[in-house]
Amino acid sequence: EKRTVTHIEKNGYPDSIYINAAKIFQGIHTEKSKDTILVRYGDNSESPMMAFKDEHSRRVSYELAFNALKYQDLLEEILLDSNAYPCYSIPDELTSLLVVMLYDLQDRKFQERKVFAEEELVAEVQEIGHYLYSYRTKLAAALARCRIKYDALSIEYFVPETIWKQEQRASALPVCVWINTFKISLEDVIRDLEMKGLTKVESVSDFDHYTYAVDQHCHDVLVFPSSLREELLNLDLFADCKLLLQ
């Protein structure tokens, strides 16, 4: 039976993704000094993370959390400028969820979120989602004012230069994956990849687009061109945890 993974689309994510991303963001967000703090993040350490559906869902949750972290200052300014924050019906413990879901809302151009079939709905996510969507016009206007204020063509402008350079370097690095030898052998992985049109080469210096190499020192590690990252993560091999992204 073919396994499926959670699709990354511009129409939102299942509720569990937002809950887990908010939990991750809560632990990594930048703490402001007491004399400059305007947006307050309560303590939600008691609330547990939801089980990840698959490795893809785990990756999406972390990506969403770290994107919210990159744009934390901008997202907070948008919330304040639009008067969407503070909202007395939303406790401080849900501020992380508010920020995470705001990042996603602007990323999909303030369009309504899709409801995923058979997903487990979470009351807090539904509440925050409806609240932000009701403010969508004011939030979009606040984002536009920020871009004018800082002469920014896009929100990427708001990423600190050091982080932008790190991302540029990281995006060019080859993709390394572990073979889960408890579930599949190297020979079977190679056969599966060749059926999907990928060609084995001797080293990374021989890379073309649809190629890969076996690590010269660890024979249960495969290396792929960076351009294949998204295609790889949508393979059944990843959905079934037969390949694991390093």
Side-chain angles (χ1 to χ4, degrees):
E1 181 183 356
K2 179 179 173 64
R3 290 281 305 282
T4 59
V5 295
T6 306
H7 292 293
I8 301 179
E9 300 177 358
K10 295 293 184 179
N11 52 15
Y13 305 101
D15 286 12
S16 60
I17 297 289
Y18 295 110
I19 287 292
N20 287 338
K23 183 72 175 178
I24 296 164
F25 177 76
Q26 177 72 20
I28 62 176
H29 74 274
T30 303
E31 295 279 0
K32 307 292 177 65
S33 60
K34 289 184 178 181
D35 56 336
T36 62
I37 190 168
L38 295 173
V39 177
R40 301 184 181 280
Y41 297 87
D43 179 14
N44 68 352
S45 58
E46 298 300 320
S47 61
M49 291 183 72
M50 298 182 69
F52 292 108
K53 178 183 176 183
D54 47 43
E55 187 62 27
H56 196 69
S57 297
R58 181 191 300 273
R59 184 174 66 88
V60 172
S61 298
Y62 275 91
E63 283 186 354
L64 185 55
F66 277 91
N67 279 328
L69 176 65
K70 283 194 299 184
Y71 299 105
Q72 179 180 333
D73 288 344
L74 172 64
L75 296 170
E76 290 179 356
E77 187 168 346
I78 292 171
L79 285 171
L80 292 165
D81 186 44
S82 65
N83 292 320
Y85 183 91
C87 174
Y88 298 106
S89 65
I90 299 176
D92 290 347
E93 289 73 25
L94 293 181
T95 300
S96 289
L97 183 60
L98 186 70
V99 171
V100 163
M101 294 190 71
L102 174 58
Y103 171 81
D104 177 60
L105 180 61
Q106 68 77 33
D107 192 43
R108 62 177 193 271
K109 310 301 181 187
F110 298 95
Q111 298 300 307
E112 191 169 9
R113 183 165 72 98
K114 171 185 174 182
V115 176
F116 288 78
E118 300 179 2
E119 72 165 297
E120 181 182 350
L121 298 182
V122 180
E124 292 83 357
V125 173
Q126 295 294 312
E127 177 189 357
I128 298 293
H130 291 312
Y131 176 74
L132 286 172
Y133 191 67
S134 71
Y135 268 82
R136 63 190 181 280
T137 303
K138 292 181 178 180
L139 291 166
L143 173 58
R145 285 191 292 271
C146 284
R147 288 175 56 186
I148 293 170
K149 177 181 176 181
Y150 297 105
D151 194 24
L153 295 176
S154 67
I155 71 163
E156 282 75 20
Y157 173 91
F158 296 93
V159 177
E161 185 177 2
T162 52
I163 295 178
W164 181 81
K165 288 181 177 179
Q166 288 172 359
E167 288 183 338
Q168 292 297 106
R169 287 196 294 268
S171 65
L173 291 174
V175 178
C176 295
V177 303
W178 290 95
I179 299 171
N180 184 352
T181 53
F182 290 105
K183 291 193 171 188
I184 195 169
S185 66
L186 171 62
E187 292 73 22
D188 286 340
V189 170
I190 290 175
R191 188 179 304 113
D192 194 301
L193 293 175
E194 288 179 348
M195 288 177 60
K196 290 177 169 59
L198 279 83
T199 303
K200 181 174 175 288
V201 296
E202 290 302 313
S203 70
V204 295
S205 60
D206 300 319
F207 275 170
D208 194 359
H209 183 54
Y210 285 102
T211 53
Y212 69 96
V214 178
D215 188 276
Q216 296 178 1
H217 304 290
C218 300
H219 292 166
D220 56 351
V221 173
L222 302 179
V223 187
F224 297 85
S226 59
S227 57
L228 281 179
R229 177 182 292 268
E230 290 302 322
E231 291 183 59
L232 288 172
L233 292 170
N234 283 310
L235 295 178
D236 291 343
L237 289 169
F238 279 90
D240 292 327
C241 296
K242 294 176 180 176
L243 292 183
L244 304 170
L245 183 66
Q246 182 173 355

